[in-house]
Amino acid sequence: MRAAAAVSSTRVLLAALVGVIALALAGCGGASKPASGAGLTIDITIAHGQVTPANATLQATVRQPITLHVTSDATDELHVHSVPDHKFEVAATANQTFQFSVDVPGSVDVELHHLDRTVATIHVHP
Amino acid sequence: MTRAIIVAHGLGGSSDLPVPYAFSVIGAAWALTFTFALVALAWKRPRFDPANPARPLPAAVTTFVDSRVIRGVAAVATLAFTGWVLLAGVCGPQTQSNALLGVFYVLLWVGLVAISLLLGPVWRVISPMRTVYLLLQRITPERLAKPRLTYPESWGYRPAAVGLFAFVWMELASPNPAALPWVKTWLLIYAVVMLGGAWLCGQSWFARADPFGVYSMAVSRICPFRRDSKTQRIAIGNPFDHLLSLPIRPGIVAVLAVLLGSTAFDSFSSSATWRNFADDLARSIHAVPVSVSLSALRTIGMLVFIAVVATTFSLAARATGGIDREQRRALPGRLAHSLIPIVVGYIFAHYLSYLVERGQQAVFALADPLGKGWNLLGPGHLHIAYVLSLHPTVLAVIKVTSVVTGHIVAVIAAHDKALRLLPSGHQLTGQLTMMLVMVSYTFTGLYLLFSA
C-alpha cells in the first residue's frame, strides 16, 4: 500500500515537472526573427574546383525570395533541399541568377552536386 | 556521385530548424536541478521491482493478444506488407522517391520505437524473417528443420549490436544512403544472416541477434503494459518496475551505446564544424574518391561517438567503493536499463518530425509502388501535412521536453538501482559519477539540438 502511494506520488511529481517545463519553454517563444521583406542574395563563386562560400549558415523566412548569384568556371548543378525542392543548371559563365522561395520552415541545404560541397545551410523561419 | 550528408537519411528535403538557445538552456537547467535534488533528497530504499503488482487488464485482452489466430494474422499481414515494399524496391522507380527508402529509414527505424513504446515488443510477433523461418520450418523435413546448435549465450546481444551498427552505418555513414542497390544488398545480407542463424540456432537467434528485435525489446521496457510476473496476464503498471526486467546479457550496453552515439553523431555531422573539417580532410586525401574518404571519416566519427558513450557509461557505473572486482564488472550491465529512457527521449527529439512528416511521404509512396500513377486506398490526392515543421516553437518544446523527460526517468531509475546494488556507505558517492555522466549526455544532446 505504502509502495503504491509512493509510486503514484512519483508519477504526480513527474507529470507536474513535465508540465512546468513545457510551460516555461512555451513562455519564451518570442525568439528573435530574421528581418523579412527584402530578399536574401547569396553570391556564389566556383573557380578551380573550389566554391565560396562553403558550409555557410544563413537566415531567411518562408516565401521570402532567395537569389543565388553564381559565377562559375565549370558546369554543375545546384540542389536546394527544401519543400518544395529546386534544381538549377549552372553553366560555366559569370553572373547567372536563380531565384526560389521555400514554403515550409526548416534547415535548407544548398548543395553543388558535382563538386559535392554544401554552399550554405539556410535556416528558413516561419 | 551523390553526397550522403546532403541527401539526409537518403530522403532529401529540409531538416528541422535548430532549437532556440533559451530552450536548450532552460532544459539543461531543469535536468541539472532535478538530478541533484534527486540524489540529495529522494528515497533511500529501493522502491522499484519487476515483481511489484500491476493492475491487470480484462482477461479478454490477454486472450486476444495470445490468440494464435491474431498472432498469425499480424505476422502474415506484415509479411505481405514487406513483400509489397520489396516489390516497390525491385520493380519500382529506382529513384530517391522509391517507397522502399521511406519504409526502411522512417517506418521501420523510427516507427518501431513508437510502436514498441506504446504496445510492447511487437517485433517478436511481426518480424517478417521470423515468419519466413516458421513457414520454411513447416515445409522442410524435420531432420533438416531442427536447430543443430544452441545459441552461445556468451555472445549475448552482441550480434544485434553489430546489426544495429550496420543499420546506422548505412543511414548515416555510407557513401550514399539513398542508393537503392546498397539498401537492397543490406536487406539481402540481413535476411541471409537471420535465416542462416535461425537454421543453426533456432528461434533464440531472433531474440538475441535480430537488431530490430533487440531494439524493439529494449524500448518496450518503458511501455506501461507488461505481463504480470506471476499470472502472465497483460497488466498496466509502473514503467520503472518494467524497466528493471531488461535482460542483462553481454552486449546490452553496446546496443544502447550504438543507438545513442549514432543519433548524436547524426546531429553533429550536419553542423558546419564537422562539414568544414570533413571536407578539408577528405579533399587532402587524393588516393581515393572524395565520397569514399568522406564515408570513412563519418564511419570513424560515428565509432568515436559510440565508443565515448559505451566507455563513459561503463566507467561511471563501476565508479564506486566497497565492492569486489567481480561485482564491479557486473555493474554496467545491471545499470544498463537506466540508459533506455535517455536513448528513447533523444531519438524522439531527433526523429519525431521525421516520423510524422516523412512517414506520410512513405505511406503515399506505397500507394504507387511501381511509379505508374496508381493510387491504392486513395491517399494520392493528399498532401503531406507539415504539422511540426510549420510550428517550430511547438516542435522545439516537444524536443527539449522529451530529452529532459528521458533524462529525469533515467536518473530516477539509476538512483533506485544504485540503492539496490551499492553497499551502504557508498550509495551517495557511488551514484555521483553516473549522475554526472547522464547530465553530460543530456547537455550534449541539448547542445546538439540547438547547434545543428
Side-chain angles (χ1 to χ4, degrees), chain B residues 201-324:
Chain B
C201 308
Q203 286 207 52
S204 53
W205 179 259
F206 291 111
R208 304 280 186 280
D210 182 353
F212 306 114
V214 174
Y215 190 12
S216 167
M217 180 279 298
V219 171
S220 75
R221 299 297 147 158
I222 35 178
C223 173
F225 300 111
R226 63 185 157 113
R227 284 185 191 267
D228 190 293
S229 50
K230 289 181 199 75
T231 61
Q232 293 302 307
R233 261 180 75 175
I234 293 177
I236 186 161
N238 188 345
F240 285 108
D241 295 331
H242 195 183
L243 260 182
L244 285 163
S245 67
L246 179 77
I248 302 159
R249 298 184 206 281
I252 187 66
V253 174
V255 163
L256 295 166
V258 167
L259 295 172
L260 188 60
S262 64
T263 312
F265 179 73
D266 187 17
S267 283
F268 179 67
S269 66
S270 64
S271 68
T273 318
W274 167 264
R275 283 182 183 180
N276 283 327
F277 163 76
D279 282 344
D280 291 347
L281 197 58
R283 277 169 178 73
S284 65
I285 307 165
H286 295 293
V288 289
V290 173
S291 61
V292 174
S293 47
L294 274 176
S295 167
L297 277 175
R298 283 196 297 272
T299 309
I300 296 167
M302 199 159 72
L303 280 171
V304 168
F305 268 65
I306 293 167
V308 166
V309 173
T311 315
T312 48
F313 183 82
S314 301
L315 289 178
R318 290 175 196 213
T320 180
I323 50 171
D324 63 34

Side-chain angles (χ1 to χ4, degrees), chain A residues 71-96:
Chain A
T71 296
S72 177
D73 64 355
T75 57
D76 208 318
E77 252 175 66
L78 273 167
H79 289 189
V80 180
H81 293 280
S82 58
V83 180
D85 60 353
H86 304 277
K87 268 182 198 175
F88 305 110
E89 298 291 335
V90 175
T93 57
N95 300 324
Q96 310 162 63

Side-chain angles (χ1 to χ4, degrees), chain B residues 39 316 319-321 422-423 425-435:
Chain B
V39 175
T320 180
L422 305 183
H426 293 277
Q427 290 186 339
L428 187 66
T429 51
Q431 54 176 303
L432 270 182
T433 7
M434 181 55 85
M435 296 300 162

Side-chain angles (χ1 to χ4, degrees), chain B residues 35-307:
Chain B
T35 308
F36 288 98
L38 178 89
V39 175
L41 308 171
W43 55 95
K44 305 289 179 226
R45 267 193 196 166
R47 173 174 282 185
F48 306 132
D49 189 330
N52 279 349
R55 186 167 305 157
L57 295 179
V61 176
T62 311
T63 319
F64 178 80
V65 170
D66 287 344
S67 131
R68 289 186 59 136
V69 177
I70 296 299
R71 289 185 168 237
V73 166
V76 171
T78 314
L79 187 63
F81 178 79
T82 310
W84 185 255
V85 174
L86 290 179
L87 177 78
V90 176
C91 308
Q94 302 296 301
T95 62
Q96 232 187 78
S97 60
N98 193 299
L100 173 63
L101 293 173
V103 173
F104 187 58
Y105 290 126
V106 182
L107 298 188
L108 176 60
W109 187 245
V110 197
L112 188 62
V113 181
I115 197 166
S116 305
L117 189 65
L118 292 175
L119 300 178
V122 285
W123 188 255
R124 193 183 292 165
V125 180
I126 63 174
S127 160
M129 291 329 294
R130 188 171 162 278
T131 312
V132 168
Y133 170 73
L134 292 176
L135 291 175
L136 283 177
Q137 211 181 20
R138 282 193 178 186
I139 57 166
T140 41
E142 198 180 334
R143 191 170 51 80
L144 279 174
K146 257 200 336 208
R148 47 220 63 224
L149 299 170
T150 48
Y151 181 82
E153 285 300 335
S154 62
W155 287 16
Y157 291 126
R158 284 178 187 139
V162 174
L164 287 168
F165 181 78
F167 186 96
V168 292
W169 181 85
M170 185 67 224
E171 182 176 17
L172 306 171
S174 68
N176 180 8
L180 278 164
W182 285 63
V183 172
K184 284 182 273 187
T185 312
W186 194 99
L187 286 169
L188 185 68
I189 296 171
Y190 167 74
V192 169
V193 171
M194 284 302 113
L195 286 180
W199 183 65
L200 288 172
C201 308
Q203 286 207 52
S204 53
W205 179 259
F206 291 111
R208 304 280 186 280
D210 182 353
F212 306 114
V214 174
Y215 190 12
S216 167
M217 180 279 298
V219 171
S220 75
R221 299 297 147 158
I222 35 178
C223 173
F225 300 111
R226 63 185 157 113
R227 284 185 191 267
D228 190 293
S229 50
K230 289 181 199 75
T231 61
Q232 293 302 307
R233 261 180 75 175
I234 293 177
I236 186 161
N238 188 345
F240 285 108
D241 295 331
H242 195 183
L243 260 182
L244 285 163
S245 67
L246 179 77
I248 302 159
R249 298 184 206 281
I252 187 66
V253 174
V255 163
L256 295 166
V258 167
L259 295 172
L260 188 60
S262 64
T263 312
F265 179 73
D266 187 17
S267 283
F268 179 67
S269 66
S270 64
S271 68
T273 318
W274 167 264
R275 283 182 183 180
N276 283 327
F277 163 76
D279 282 344
D280 291 347
L281 197 58
R283 277 169 178 73
S284 65
I285 307 165
H286 295 293
V288 289
V290 173
S291 61
V292 174
S293 47
L294 274 176
S295 167
L297 277 175
R298 283 196 297 272
T299 309
I300 296 167
M302 199 159 72
L303 280 171
V304 168
F305 268 65
I306 293 167

Side-chain angles (χ1 to χ4, degrees), chain B residues 329-377:
Chain B
R329 188 172 298 163
L331 280 175
R334 301 183 75 171
L335 282 161
H337 67 284
S338 62
L339 205 45
I340 296 174
I342 292 189
V343 169
V344 173
Y346 191 49
I347 283 183
F348 261 93
H350 191 79
Y351 288 118
L352 182 67
S353 64
Y354 195 61
L355 175 64
V356 171
E357 293 168 4
R358 300 307 175 80
Q360 298 175 53
Q361 197 177 326
V363 171
F364 295 168
L366 279 171
D368 183 18
L370 303 180
K372 289 188 173 170
W374 297 354
N375 184 15
L376 298 160
L377 306 176

